[in-house]
Amino acid sequence: MHLISNEDVMRGDLAKFGVEYRSPCYISINDCSGFLASNAGIRPGFAAYTDDGYLLIYIDGITGAAQIAITSDNVTSLDIKKLPLLPEHSIKIKGIQDGNKFYYKLLLPHKSGKSFPSQKENTADLISFLEYWK
C-alpha cells in the first residue's frame, strides 16, 4: 500500500500490466463482487484504458494490490453519472469474467491536487472511452 500517491506512483503501478495505456486516472474503488461486500470497502486505485479496448484497474490495499483488466464483452451493465454538486463521476460496472460475476463502483474525481496535474483531462477521456461501451 502506498502512503503517498502521485503521478509517478500511478504510472509505475499501471506499468505492471505490461501494456501501453492511455488517460491514467486516480480513482476510489469499491469491489462489490463478494456476497458480504459493503460500501465500507472503498480503496484507492488507478484506472486507464488501452487501444485494444481494455479498462485497466489497479486497486491498492493493505492486504495487497489487485490488477483487473476488463473488456466490453464482459460488461453486462454500465452506469456513468456526474455527481450533483461535486466535481466527480460515479461509475458502476457489472459483468462476468472467467465465469465469475463482478461489480465495481468507481469514483473519478475531476481534480486531485498537484499530485495528479492531468486528472481533469484524463478523467474526461476515460469517461468518453467508457461511453462507447453502453
Side-chain angles (χ1 to χ4, degrees), residues 10-11 13-14 17 21-29 44-50 54-60 66 68 70 91 106-109 116 119 122-123 125-127 129-130:
M10 174 175 62
R11 292 189 184 281
D13 286 344
L14 289 171
F17 283 95
Y21 58 85
R22 295 183 182 270
S23 302
C25 298
Y26 174 81
I27 62 170
S28 296
I29 183 166
F46 309 110
Y49 70 90
T50 68
Y54 282 88
L55 173 65
L56 306 177
I57 300 172
Y58 184 90
I59 304 172
D60 199 10
I68 302 159
I70 302 170
I91 299 173
L106 287 73
L107 284 177
L108 279 83
F116 301 96
Q119 178 77 13
N122 289 350
T123 297
D125 194 32
L126 184 62
I127 289 168
F129 168 78
L130 290 173

Side-chain angles (χ1 to χ4, degrees), residues 28 81-90 107-111 123 127:
S28 296
K81 290 184 180 176
K82 167 77 174 75
L83 296 179
L85 305 176
L86 294 174
E88 294 184 337
H89 272 82
S90 169
L107 284 177
L108 279 83
H110 291 224
K111 297 179 183 176
T123 297
I127 289 168

Side-chain angles (χ1 to χ4, degrees), residues 14-124:
L14 289 171
K16 293 175 184 176
F17 283 95
V19 296
E20 290 197 29
Y21 58 85
R22 295 183 182 270
S23 302
C25 298
Y26 174 81
I27 62 170
S28 296
I29 183 166
N30 189 4
D31 183 354
C32 301
S33 302
F35 180 72
L36 298 174
S38 72
N39 285 332
I42 297 173
R43 295 187 282 173
F46 309 110
Y49 70 90
T50 68
D51 288 334
D52 296 336
Y54 282 88
L55 173 65
L56 306 177
I57 300 172
Y58 184 90
I59 304 172
D60 199 10
I62 295 172
T63 59
Q67 294 175 323
I68 302 159
I70 302 170
T71 65
S72 61
D73 297 337
N74 302 111
V75 175
T76 57
S77 173
L78 177 65
D79 184 34
I80 302 171
K81 290 184 180 176
K82 167 77 174 75
L83 296 179
L85 305 176
L86 294 174
E88 294 184 337
H89 272 82
S90 169
I91 299 173
K92 295 178 183 176
I93 185 166
K94 296 180 184 180
I96 299 174
Q97 189 164 354
D98 299 327
N100 296 317
K101 291 183 180 181
F102 64 82
Y103 176 27
Y104 302 111
K105 293 181 183 178
L106 287 73
L107 284 177
L108 279 83
H110 291 224
K111 297 179 183 176
S112 290
K114 295 177 185 175
S115 298
F116 301 96
S118 55
Q119 178 77 13
K120 186 175 182 178
E121 296 83 15
N122 289 350
T123 297

